[in-house]
Amino acid sequence: MSDRLLERFGSFPEALNATEGERVKAVGGDDLEGLFSSVRTAIHHVLRDRLPRGAVLADEPAVLDYLRGAMAFAPQEQFRVLYLNAGNEPLCDEVASIGSVSAVHIYPREVLKRCLELGATAIIVAHNHPSGRLVASRRDRIMTRKLVEAATALGIAVHDHILIAREGSLSFCRKGFL
């Protein structure tokens, strides 16, 4: 069975993120879906548990591993927010928006509303590029600038915007976009 999955999808992460219909077509059987759901959930929990207990900014590789595991192989773009407290410790991780295969739209107002609800004083935002391209588009940079401006007015820090792809990541902060 694993050989058929790898032959059809190319990798285990690709198979995990394929649709149910695609997997059933590749190997048959409905029992497979329960297994895939359990594996996906287990991987998410393992990566989440690797996030630092203290300041999340102290362990950038763990954050990147978590984000890659959570969204690198998703078939549509998604915009995820890690909400942090005053000690930069994780309060919550949420997908704020799911888009199409090539775009996702985010409303800064909704992200900041959630910050206020949680008492978050900082955020790290991320979105994936299913195409695999680690290039921040003009639209990505404009949206990030609007989010940073609105957050600053409320005293909320935007520590980074991270682009996630199957083969790596791109930090807006490191690139000088923030």
Side-chain angles (χ1 to χ4, degrees), residues 19 25 138 143:
T19 66
K25 206 182 292 182
R138 182 174 181 275
M143 181 271 303

Side-chain angles (χ1 to χ4, degrees), residues 103-146:
V104 64
H105 191 74
I106 191 68
Y107 297 96
R109 171 189 168 120
E110 296 304 314
V111 171
L112 298 173
K113 176 182 167 190
R114 187 68 174 136
C115 284
L116 297 173
E117 290 170 356
L118 293 168
T121 59
I123 57 176
I124 296 172
V125 298
H127 85 277
N128 64 322
H129 277 181
S131 69
R133 289 178 38 101
L134 280 174
V135 176
S137 70
R138 182 174 181 275
R139 186 172 173 242
D140 291 340
R141 292 192 304 269
I142 290 170
M143 181 271 303
T144 302
R145 187 171 4 111
K146 287 180 180 180

Side-chain angles (χ1 to χ4, degrees), residues 33-51:
E33 283 315 301
L35 174 65
F36 271 90
S37 178
S38 296
V39 169
R40 196 180 307 101
T41 301
I43 289 170
H44 182 75
H45 285 294
V46 166
L47 290 171
R48 188 179 197 125
D49 286 347
R50 288 192 59 220
L51 283 176

Side-chain angles (χ1 to χ4, degrees), residues 40-128:
R40 196 180 307 101
T41 301
I43 289 170
H44 182 75
H45 285 294
V46 166
L47 290 171
R48 188 179 197 125
D49 286 347
R50 288 192 59 220
L51 283 176
R53 296 283 180 242
V56 73
L57 301 176
D59 195 349
E60 184 181 358
V63 173
L64 294 176
D65 285 348
Y66 173 72
L67 292 171
R68 260 195 94 236
M71 61 197 307
F73 293 89
Q76 301 100 355
E77 284 197 20
Q78 57 179 245
F79 190 89
R80 180 176 292 271
V81 183
L82 299 175
Y83 297 93
L84 310 173
N85 68 15
N88 289 318
E89 299 166 327
L91 292 170
C92 186
D93 161 37
E94 294 178 345
V95 174
S97 182
I98 295 177
S100 68
V101 295
S102 61
V104 64
H105 191 74
I106 191 68
Y107 297 96
R109 171 189 168 120
E110 296 304 314
V111 171
L112 298 173
K113 176 182 167 190
R114 187 68 174 136
C115 284
L116 297 173
E117 290 170 356
L118 293 168
T121 59
I123 57 176
I124 296 172
V125 298
H127 85 277
N128 64 322

